[in-house]
Amino acid sequence: MTHAAATPKKSAVDRFLNIVESGGNALPHPATLFAILAMVVVLLSWITSQLELSVQHPTTGELITPVNLMSVAGLHRILTGLVTNFTSFAPLGTVLVSLIGIGVAEHSGLIGAALRQLVLAAPRFLLTPVMVFAGVMSNMASEIGYVLLVPLAGLVFLAARRHPILGMAASFAGVSGGYSANLLLGTIDPLLAGLSQEAAQIIDPAYTVSAAANWYFMIVSTFLVTGLGWWVTERFVARRFPDAPEAADGSDIEPMSAAEKRGLLFAIVATAAVTALVLWGTVPGDGFLRDPGTGDLLNSPFLRGIVALIFIYGVVAGVAYGIGAGTIKSDADVINGMGKSMSTLGVYLVLTFFAAQFVAFFNWTQLGLIFAVNGAAVLTQLELPGIVLFACFIVLTATANLFMGSASAKWALMAPVFIPMFMLLGYSPELTQIGYRIGDSVTNIISPMMSYFALIIAFLQRYEPKAGIGTVVAVMLPYSMVFMIGWTVLFAVWMAMGWPIGPGAPLEYLPAT
């Protein structure tokens, strides 16, 4: 008698995530949803203005009231801003410029050959932690991670005969969920430190906050996020997206041909030449890619122009490979490669248009500011032990991040409230900044307000055509929850041990005056 194979029993977590995905994907198309949300914001702006809601700005003392978009002035603003909302939407230009360069590398065959070589050379079981770690490191200049690493991770996993969404999820978790972990400093560090210093000087006018104030904690967090991301990917996400049954070990991947090896050699030489030029401009103190006035690298044309460098690297390496491998015969092949990459972005452009309107309308109404200030006021009134208070602060920041995507905008609002409060309780501004950065990072990956959320949906739809907001949230929610728990535990241990969180950055507030 023949028995049917038993269906694997789903865990409670799997059933919950299936409900999240089904519920989220039951919503309209993401573009339609953003259009609906934009209209809801307009309606909400009228309701809140009629209720005369208001808060006082914690720094300027200015009274913040909702801006009513259901008015003649609001209508004029919507009509005149519709185009510029779209064209000035931060991820749009980044994506288009980057993909033009990457398109040459892909069309020439460079990316496919390099990924095949990577799969042949790298142990399959290390692909996941490598992708998470690469994502964490890429957030020094976050556009690289979103635009380049996430889709490449999908291709790497596909070549290794693993589901591409596993690679995309792992890299996205590192890029966005691990935004405040890194072995090196990035452009966000001096930006947040400057805001923290201004807030600290409300209490202590001589207090200074270094851009490296959180560096020690960030270094340890890099390995924490990599380990947690690896575990979540294999423990939860891999169960939802099992490996392809055929050639699971990747043994059917063809070895490199002589032409491909020659093309890779040409690409390596060309990439090395561009890298040497970049090092010439960045390593010397007076390098031409550093800030002309200060010689600084963090706020230099090098980091501000990282998207242009992606374009240059993609074109140079792609053309060099194509010449060596014989896949590029003329300039028309280069232009066709650029055009082919653009032709895949039709749905993304439509989605981005409506997402840009929603984000702009929400910012115009000032509702995000009002919600954040009211939430901060509630937390300030609670008399809780230090670690409990900071845990609540992390949760509040993570919640606020669902409504306000910009890390600097939120911190500009929250720092003047929380840094003076925690200083009066004996905690340093640097410690408060760490708590903020944890909360700001962990919900990036499930927040539709995150600028690149629409792009991640478009990437997933390449492999799961029905993927929507619910799919992204269901896939990334385990990362968000585990990162929050793990990072908060690390924060608590750090406080208990009394370790400095950066060079010259103690946990306790030590007056500078």
Side-chain angles (χ1 to χ4, degrees):
M1 182 174 179
T2 305
H3 297 276
T7 302
K9 184 178 180 180
K10 292 185 177 181
S11 68
V13 173
D14 291 327
R15 291 195 297 271
F16 170 72
L17 293 177
N18 285 336
I19 292 172
V20 171
E21 180 176 3
S22 299
N25 290 342
L27 296 171
H29 187 283
T32 306
L33 185 59
F34 278 120
I36 293 172
L37 288 174
M39 291 186 286
V40 169
V41 167
V42 173
L43 178 61
L44 193 58
S45 72
W46 174 77
I47 294 173
T48 53
S49 64
Q50 296 301 307
L51 295 175
E52 298 183 348
L53 296 182
S54 65
V55 294
Q56 190 174 38
H57 196 286
T59 303
T60 64
E62 178 187 357
L63 191 66
I64 302 172
T65 57
V67 175
N68 180 14
L69 296 182
M70 285 188 64
S71 62
V72 174
L75 175 61
H76 292 174
R77 189 171 189 179
I78 292 172
L79 291 176
T80 58
L82 201 69
V83 174
T84 54
N85 291 342
F86 176 52
T87 57
S88 63
F89 194 54
L92 182 62
T94 297
V95 171
L96 296 181
V97 173
S98 298
L99 287 185
I100 290 175
I102 295 170
V104 177
E106 184 174 7
H107 185 66
S108 70
L110 169 61
I111 292 179
L115 291 177
R116 197 161 79 254
Q117 181 63 25
L118 173 63
V119 172
L120 289 168
R124 185 171 179 265
F125 77 97
L126 287 180
L127 283 179
T128 300
V130 166
M131 289 306 163
V132 180
F133 178 78
V136 172
M137 294 304 296
S138 75
N139 65 42
M140 289 178 56
S142 58
E143 291 84 358
I144 293 179
Y146 293 117
V147 177
L148 179 59
L149 182 62
V150 173
L152 287 188
L155 293 175
V156 168
F157 270 59
L158 187 63
R161 296 300 184 267
R162 300 201 69 187
H163 201 294
I165 289 183
L166 293 181
M168 297 169 73
S171 59
F172 182 38
V175 174
S176 199
Y179 189 63
S180 289
N182 212 297
L183 300 182
L184 303 172
L185 300 179
T187 54
I188 192 65
D189 295 288
L191 177 58
L192 295 182
L195 295 171
S196 298
Q197 179 172 301
E198 290 182 3
Q201 289 177 353
I202 295 174
I203 300 295
D204 188 344
Y207 201 93
T208 58
V209 178
S210 167
N214 300 152
W215 197 12
Y216 298 159
F217 190 87
M218 289 168 56
I219 291 174
V220 176
S221 296
T222 300
F223 300 102
L224 174 73
V225 170
T226 299
L228 293 178
W230 185 5
W231 181 73
V232 170
T233 302
E234 302 299 345
R235 176 66 177 82
F236 297 104
V237 183
R239 295 169 60 175
R240 296 173 57 81
F241 301 97
D243 295 347
E246 69 279 0
D249 60 356
S251 60
D252 69 333
I253 299 178
E254 296 180 1
M256 303 291 293
S257 67
E260 288 175 323
K261 290 180 179 179
R262 184 171 58 253
L264 282 178
L265 178 61
F266 278 37
I268 290 171
V269 172
T271 301
V274 176
T275 301
L277 185 63
V278 171
L279 292 175
W280 181 27
T282 55
V283 173
D286 59 348
F288 60 87
L289 290 178
R290 288 178 173 265
D291 185 285
T294 64
D296 187 19
L297 192 59
L298 288 176
N299 297 303
S300 63
F302 167 68
L303 286 181
R304 293 198 303 270
I306 200 72
V307 175
L309 288 175
I310 295 175
F311 169 81
I312 293 170
Y313 269 106
V315 172
V316 171
V319 170
Y321 175 87
I323 293 173
T327 56
I328 289 182
K329 306 293 185 181
S330 67
D331 62 305
D333 293 328
V334 177
I335 301 303
N336 289 336
M338 294 179 176
K340 186 176 180 180
S341 67
M342 292 293 98
S343 67
T344 64
L345 292 178
V347 174
Y348 170 69
L349 292 175
V350 175
L351 196 156
T352 299
F353 172 78
F354 290 107
Q357 308 309 323
F358 167 59
V359 171
F361 292 0
F362 194 79
N363 289 336
W364 291 347
T365 62
Q366 301 195 103
L367 292 176
L369 299 177
I370 294 171
F371 295 158
V373 171
N374 283 330
V378 172
L379 186 56
T380 325
Q381 296 171 0
L382 300 177
E383 297 182 3
L384 300 172
I387 185 57
V388 177
L389 186 60
F390 271 104
C392 291
F393 175 54
I394 290 171
V395 172
L396 175 66
T397 304
T399 304
N401 193 45
L402 297 173
F403 300 97
M404 298 178 64
S406 169
S408 58
K410 285 195 305 293
W411 193 226
L413 176 72
M414 298 176 71
V417 176
F418 290 101
I419 281 186
M421 179 188 75
F422 284 124
M423 288 173 71
L424 294 174
L425 294 175
Y427 301 106
S428 69
E430 294 87 346
L431 182 65
T432 307
Q433 181 175 284
I434 276 290
Y436 168 78
R437 297 185 71 170
I438 292 173
D440 176 65
S441 296
V442 296
T443 51
N444 277 336
I445 47 182
I446 60 172
S447 171
M449 288 297 295
M450 196 273 293
S451 298
Y452 289 89
F453 196 85
L455 180 63
I456 301 303
I457 294 175
F459 285 152
L460 262 63
Q461 287 175 341
R462 294 180 180 178
Y463 308 104
E464 295 286 335
K466 296 182 179 180
I469 290 176
T471 303
V472 178
V473 173
V475 169
M476 304 310 299
L477 186 59
Y479 293 102
S480 187
M481 297 173 66
V482 171
F483 284 0
M484 177 177 286
I485 294 171
W487 234 336
T488 303
V489 170
L490 176 64
F491 185 90
V493 170
W494 210 286
M495 285 187 66
M497 299 301 295
W499 296 326
I501 52 179
L507 305 184
E508 300 84 9
Y509 163 53
L510 303 175
T513 53

